[in-house]
Amino acid sequence: MQNCVPRQKKMIVKFLTSIINLKSKDIESGLHISKSVVSRHMTGERNRPEIDIFIIEKVFGIKIKDYSVCALEKPTK
């Protein structure tokens, strides 16, 4: 979801959380993060990949064990 336009991402996140009835309090307790971090992610102010992964896990009923967040690097010549 990192490549989505921020407004579209915000709409997608809100849509998915409403469909599965996932509250921000559930995300806070599931990931052990503060309310402000979740709130900033939901409004699109900050990007927290672990919240996106948590939502994806809940939507599809799967568990993602390992993930890494890395920026695309320019090829060197």
Side-chain angles (χ1 to χ4, degrees):
M1 284 203 243
Q2 187 175 10
N3 295 332
C4 293
V5 176
R7 186 173 181 176
Q8 291 174 338
K9 179 181 177 182
K10 183 178 171 182
M11 289 174 31
I12 291 169
V13 168
K14 286 191 177 202
F15 177 73
L16 290 175
T17 54
S18 68
I19 284 181
I20 61 172
N21 198 23
L22 184 65
K23 307 287 186 226
S24 62
K25 190 164 200 106
D26 300 330
I27 298 171
E28 295 166 23
S29 63
L31 295 176
H32 306 290
I33 54 178
S34 70
K35 181 178 182 176
S36 63
V37 171
V38 175
S39 176
R40 287 180 181 170
H41 179 78
M42 293 299 197
T43 60
E45 186 179 330
R46 304 279 298 187
N47 186 25
R48 296 296 298 254
E50 63 268 23
I51 297 175
D52 289 335
I53 290 172
F54 183 80
I55 294 170
I56 291 168
E57 288 176 343
K58 294 297 181 185
V59 168
F60 292 107
I62 59 173
K63 185 67 179 162
I64 300 172
K65 291 181 182 179
D66 297 322
Y67 68 93
S68 63
V69 179
C70 60
L72 296 174
E73 297 179 17
K74 295 181 181 178
T76 57
K77 292 183 179 180

